[in-house]
Amino acid sequence: MTIVRSLLLFALAALAEIGGAWLVWQGVREQRGLAWIGAGVIALGLYGFVATLQEAADFGRVLAAYGGVFIVGSLAWGMVADGFRPDRWDVIGALVCLAGVAVIMYAPRG
């Protein structure tokens, strides 16, 4: 259950960070206003909080692994929100990143 919890926290963190960055982008670049920017800043703050809920005690390890989740999540967000279509190299790179997440977070350590 620990790995499942960890994966759910990574997914929640990705939703908060990528969603927050997208809201700020929309507020500034697409001129949607301060409410979008403010919502984005709040979501980004929530991301920082969610990251602390991982059981692993090593900040560097958690954030390094999250980097791989962020890459995959960003591609997925682009597909859903902006109609982005990843090519095979994007998909291969995303799979490599997920493999890195698995090694960093879930490899047996003594």
Side-chain angles (χ1 to χ4, degrees):
M1 189 57 90
T2 302
I3 292 176
V4 172
R5 180 180 185 275
S6 174
L7 292 172
L8 289 172
L9 286 171
F10 276 138
L12 184 58
L15 182 65
E17 184 182 21
I18 298 163
W22 184 81
L23 287 166
V24 171
W25 180 283
Q26 293 296 310
V28 175
R29 298 280 302 250
E30 304 299 327
Q31 301 171 349
R32 294 198 173 177
L34 289 176
W36 286 69
I37 295 167
V41 168
I42 291 168
L44 288 166
L46 287 173
Y47 151 72
F49 177 76
V50 171
T52 69
L53 300 176
Q54 289 284 351
E55 285 185 29
D58 301 303
F59 174 82
R61 180 173 291 146
V62 170
L63 268 286
Y66 173 69
V69 174
F70 177 82
I71 290 168
V72 173
S74 295
L75 292 172
W77 188 282
M79 291 171 62
V80 172
D82 294 325
F84 171 72
R85 295 292 169 241
D87 63 21
R88 69 178 176 200
W89 299 110
D90 294 322
V91 173
I92 291 168
L95 292 172
V96 168
C97 290
L98 288 179
V101 170
V103 170
I104 291 169
M105 285 297 293
Y106 311 119
R109 292 187 164 85

